[in-house]
Amino acid sequence: MIESDFVKFDRKDYVPKHELSSFFGSQLLADYALGNLDPIRARLIEEKLRDDDNLATSLRALRHSINYCKSLGNIQLSNDVFVEIQEPNELVPRWGKWLNWKKWPTSFRWSSEALAISIFVAIVASLIPWKRFLYQFTLDQKWTIVEVKRDSPRGLKTEIDLADAVAAGGQRAAIPKGDEELTPEVPEPTNEPPAPSGKTSASPNVTGVDQVSVKPNTSEQLPTPQKGFVYRANIKLKNLDSVSPKIVSLIENLGGIKAGEVRLGWRKPDGSYFHFLIEEIRYEELKKQLLQYAPVNFTKDEHPRVIESGKMRIILWIEEIIEPTIEPTIAKPENNQNPRSESEVKPEKSPAPPAEPPPQ
Amino acid sequence: MQAAGTEEVRDIAVFFYFSLLNEKLAIEASRKVVIKFNNLLKRNPDLRRTATIIHITNQVWSQFHKKNSEQGVVALNKSRWILPENVDLGPWRQFRKESETNELLITIWSQILGYSHRDIANGLNVSEGTVNHRVGRSLRHLGAMYKLDALND
């Protein structure tokens, strides 16, 4: 029977059959240096160290590092360090805990985040110059208040209720001019040709019109950049299709240049639209020429678009007078001398001018 | 119940001094560990003190290690932390820079502070064999820096 080393195991007498390899020697060297190896392995290492110089050098280095660590462990601390560690300032950790944002309670943290974001948004919103944007927006909006005075056959005056105009967007009532200044006009268009107005467009003999351009109160307080002006005028004419080309040629002969995107005399269902630039010296002549067709009265309005000096921007709106298809039954005011016809007239229902008095 | 003694406070401070190489952070971290240690002792006076210190220092070190990385190299006050004569911190700085975290901390606990491997194993919740292996590896690593010098001896 072969006696196995593992069966008859006695550490003191045990001698392994094989030598320790260099790899195992290097792996066990640290434990050998620290004294953690059992006597058998320690003896093997010692045998290996006699033959292997490289392993012996590694052992010296290991012992050197162990001694170095022990010498580091002999570091001495001054009393200040002990005092600083053992008597800590209680305020620092207490406040430090609350200053650390991540350690806040979740609900409080989210609430504070929401509050901070809302404050930030409010500050940004207050810093944005909203008035500047609103100013640009409101300059394009104009409210025109119109007062139409009409001579009725029985001396009754029919007026368009200004309350309607105010309700339509105006801020205050129009101030009528004197009778001698009243000219047949209709509300002027703004940038676009106006839509036909029920009362004004249907009444051919409008004797007095006054118009003012009312802007919202907000625009009065807004900063005013460099101002430009636009001149507006309105005319009512019959046979517009024949007159419109003449006015176009008149403007062009006076050196007028189309402004805007539409051509001169742009035809709309209820009128023609002229938007053009003309030199200031030709303005009087233009006005004089237009008077041949109808009384014209230009108004000067402020406008953000600035035109170069020496030129004027004019918007002329010519509204076509549509002949009533039903023969009028109301006499004209200047010929209204028949008391019988007065009793037959119902002026509030009749937008047409008074008719001729019956023959005697 | 007995609060952290002077020797324990010293061990804690030395651990953070060599692991962080930043005096200010070392004191701050030591203060934190001492407070935690004392609080734990209040709750359970029968704690294994060395293992508990190792456990807490390991936790706190991971927090302060990030701060230390942000601050970079800091000059040390040699009047408050007095090293023995003829001991240079250069090899330790090099070892701290090149070694892994496990090796670094175990070297401090085992070789500098002289804690037993059993206490280290209990504090880190690992086996003693693991501690032995890490100690051997770290010593080989540190010894490699002295190998050339040893050859010349």
Side-chain angles (χ1 to χ4, degrees):
Chain A
M1 182 178 174
I2 300 171
E3 291 183 357
S4 170
D5 294 337
F6 297 100
V7 174
K8 189 181 179 182
F9 186 78
D10 187 354
R11 281 186 171 274
K12 291 180 182 176
D13 300 332
Y14 172 70
V15 177
K17 294 178 181 178
H18 303 290
E19 284 187 359
L20 194 68
S21 67
S22 296
F23 174 76
F24 276 109
S26 62
Q27 293 298 312
L28 295 173
L29 204 58
D31 286 330
Y32 176 76
L34 290 171
N36 294 335
L37 277 185
D38 58 87
I40 297 171
R41 287 197 177 92
R43 199 165 61 198
L44 284 173
I45 289 286
E46 285 168 0
E47 288 176 1
K48 184 70 180 173
L49 283 169
R50 284 183 210 132
D51 302 333
D52 196 336
D53 291 339
N54 193 22
L55 203 64
T57 308
S58 298
L59 179 65
R60 281 199 296 271
L62 273 174
R63 284 178 173 161
H64 198 145
S65 60
I66 291 167
N67 291 332
Y68 177 71
C69 288
K70 284 181 180 173
S71 61
L72 287 179
N74 293 327
I75 188 172
Q76 293 179 356
L77 276 63
S78 67
N79 287 331
D80 298 345
V81 176
F82 284 101
V83 170
E84 220 170 318
I85 292 171
Q86 288 181 305
E87 297 178 2
N89 186 4
E90 290 294 334
L91 289 176
V92 174
R94 192 178 299 169
W95 283 104
K97 182 184 177 184
W98 284 102
L99 289 174
N100 192 351
W101 177 78
K102 290 179 181 176
K103 290 185 179 177
W104 290 0
T106 309
S107 56
F108 184 68
R109 191 169 61 188
W110 283 106
S111 304
S112 58
E113 277 185 13
L115 184 66
I117 291 170
S118 56
I119 290 172
F120 175 75
V121 170
I123 290 171
V124 170
S126 63
L127 291 177
I128 293 175
W130 296 107
K131 289 183 176 179
R132 198 171 286 275
F133 297 127
L134 288 173
Y135 176 70
Q136 296 294 335
F137 176 69
T138 52
L139 275 179
D140 296 335
Q141 291 183 340
K142 288 190 175 181
W143 286 266
T144 303
I145 298 175
V146 180
E147 181 184 15
V148 178
K149 292 184 179 180
R150 179 185 306 164
D151 292 336
S152 65
R154 288 167 292 179
L156 297 174
K157 283 191 173 180
T158 304
E159 293 184 4
I160 294 174
D161 191 2
L162 289 178
D164 292 342
V166 172
Q171 297 290 323
R172 57 189 173 89
I175 303 170
K177 293 180 180 177
D179 290 339
E180 65 279 5
E181 296 177 4
L182 296 179
T183 54
E185 287 184 5
V186 292
E188 61 173 299
T190 56
N191 287 337
E192 294 181 358
S197 174
K199 291 182 179 180
T200 53
S201 61
S203 58
N205 289 335
V206 178
T207 56
V209 175
D210 188 15
Q211 57 189 12
V212 289
S213 181
V214 181
K215 295 175 182 176
N217 287 334
T218 53
S219 62
E220 294 173 2
Q221 301 167 356
L222 296 175
T224 55
Q226 191 177 6
K227 289 180 180 177
F229 295 97
V230 60
Y231 291 78
R232 300 175 188 274
N234 297 296
I235 303 175
K236 293 188 80 171
L237 288 176
K238 293 179 181 177
N239 301 323
L240 182 59
D241 291 332
S242 60
V243 176
S244 181
K246 295 177 183 177
I247 294 176
V248 170
S249 60
L250 167 64
I251 292 168
E252 289 175 346
N253 290 336
L254 291 173
I257 305 167
K258 175 189 80 104
E261 295 183 356
V262 298
R263 59 183 174 75
L264 284 174
W266 181 41
R267 192 68 169 90
K268 296 279 287 180
D270 53 347
S272 290
Y273 178 73
F274 300 81
H275 184 188
F276 57 96
L277 296 173
I278 194 169
E279 294 182 0
E280 283 183 358
I281 54 175
R282 302 291 180 91
Y283 171 65
E284 289 299 330
E285 191 175 351
L286 173 72
K287 199 172 175 183
K288 188 177 175 182
Q289 296 282 346
L290 287 174
L291 282 172
Q292 295 176 2
Y293 299 98
V296 60
N297 187 18
F298 283 93
T299 59
K300 184 180 180 182
D301 294 334
E302 288 183 4
H303 196 274
R305 187 181 299 169
V306 180
I307 305 300
E308 59 181 298
S309 61
K311 288 192 174 181
M312 299 170 62
R313 193 159 72 93
I314 296 175
I315 294 175
L316 176 65
W317 170 251
I318 301 179
E319 186 175 344
E320 185 174 20
I321 298 174
I322 302 169
E323 292 289 345
T325 54
I326 302 172
E327 192 173 336
T329 56
I330 303 172
K332 288 184 179 178
E334 57 271 17
N335 299 327
N336 185 16
Q337 296 174 355
N338 191 350
R340 184 185 170 189
S341 63
E342 288 180 10
S343 61
E344 295 172 357
V345 169
K346 295 180 179 177
E348 56 275 9
K349 290 186 178 178
S350 171
E356 290 291 333
Q360 296 293 327
Chain B
M1 183 205 73
Q2 188 180 358
T6 308
E7 196 63 28
E8 288 165 334
V9 173
R10 179 196 171 277
D11 287 350
I12 294 166
V14 168
F15 170 82
F16 284 113
Y17 179 79
F18 286 115
S19 62
L20 298 173
L21 286 182
N22 185 323
E23 187 185 350
K24 188 181 173 184
L25 286 181
I27 290 173
E28 195 179 337
S30 302
R31 185 187 297 148
K32 196 167 186 177
V33 170
V34 168
I35 291 170
K36 276 193 172 187
F37 182 62
N38 289 336
N39 289 337
L40 283 175
L41 283 176
K42 280 180 189 175
R43 290 182 218 161
N44 186 6
D46 300 330
L47 278 175
R48 285 176 293 184
R49 300 173 76 98
T50 308
T52 307
I53 287 173
I54 290 169
H55 181 72
I56 299 171
T57 48
N58 186 42
Q59 281 183 341
V60 174
W61 182 86
S62 58
Q63 298 171 10
F64 280 81
H65 176 58
K66 293 176 185 174
K67 290 184 185 177
N68 195 34
S69 303
E70 293 166 1
Q71 291 188 6
V73 179
V74 180
L76 298 169
N77 188 352
K78 292 182 179 177
S79 63
R80 301 178 70 185
W81 307 77
I82 305 159
L83 282 169
E85 287 184 5
N86 302 324
V87 173
D88 183 21
L89 266 182
W92 180 257
R93 287 184 194 275
Q94 187 69 18
F95 172 69
R96 181 179 169 276
K97 196 175 177 182
E98 293 177 359
S99 63
E100 293 178 11
T101 302
N102 292 330
E103 292 179 12
L104 174 71
L105 302 187
I106 277 186
T107 305
I108 297 172
W109 284 316
S110 169
Q111 300 304 310
I112 295 179
L113 298 178
Y115 289 164
S116 68
H117 290 190
R118 176 174 291 181
D119 287 338
I120 297 170
N122 288 332
L124 299 180
N125 198 20
V126 294
S127 67
E128 277 189 61
T130 304
V131 175
N132 284 336
H133 174 71
R134 289 178 184 173
V135 168
R137 199 174 55 183
S138 63
L139 282 177
R140 278 198 300 275
H141 191 179
L142 188 59
M145 297 176 188
Y146 289 98
K147 199 168 184 179
L148 289 175
D149 296 335
L151 283 171
N152 296 328
D153 289 344

